[in-house]
Amino acid sequence: QVQLVESGGGLVQPGGSARLSCAATGFSLDYYDVGWFRRVPGKEREGVACVSTDGGTTTYENSVKGRFTISRDKAKNTVYLQMTSLRPEDTGVYYCATDVVPSPKGVDWYVGAVGSWGQGIHVNVSS
């Protein structure tokens, strides 16, 4: 079965850290740029981080630069999003996706014709 499965979300205190994982089953992530999107309450869905097929190029939405790090582990067929210095405004549902096309504005990122989405995982930054 071809799918992306996110894990690692939950409740995190402001200023804390969390790591999201996106594991692919049924296909290899090696051939795709992979990224993370989020839907924050009251806002449009936006792209937050993207990593190229070889892991050599990463792209971040402005509000997460310096706080979030995306990486990939080819052996595990998994992409990670390490989030630090979390803020309440980071609360939302995070989705991983393949064939991601980033853009200067996070709300303009999109998933290409051959891409796929995970089911989403909730991150709640709250004290």
Side-chain angles (χ1 to χ4, degrees):
Q1 186 177 3
V2 175
Q3 61 178 350
L4 295 171
V5 180
E6 299 102 334
S7 61
L11 178 64
V12 185
Q13 290 196 336
S17 299
R19 187 177 78 161
L20 303 182
S21 300
C22 173
T25 59
F27 72 106
S28 173
L29 290 175
D30 289 0
Y31 307 106
Y32 299 95
D33 293 345
V34 180
W36 290 89
F37 290 75
R38 68 183 179 188
R39 189 181 297 278
V40 174
K43 292 189 174 182
E44 294 180 76
R45 185 184 66 198
E46 64 178 354
V48 295
C50 180
V51 61
S52 61
T53 53
D54 65 358
T57 301
T58 54
T59 307
Y60 297 95
E61 193 274 331
N62 284 337
S63 69
V64 307
K65 283 180 181 176
R67 300 189 299 123
F68 291 11
T69 303
I70 189 170
S71 62
R72 62 194 308 159
D73 185 329
K74 289 181 178 290
K76 294 183 178 180
N77 206 25
T78 298
V79 170
Y80 302 100
L81 185 67
Q82 179 68 48
M83 306 184 292
T84 64
S85 301
L86 282 162
R87 306 166 181 168
E89 54 264 38
D90 295 316
T91 294
V93 180
Y94 285 71
Y95 302 85
C96 69
T98 60
D99 195 25
V100 174
V101 181
S103 185
K105 292 175 62 177
V107 294
D108 292 331
W109 292 32
Y110 65 93
V111 170
V114 297
S116 57
W117 291 89
Q119 80 285 357
I121 192 162
H122 196 255
V123 175
N124 183 10
V125 184
S126 174
S127 54

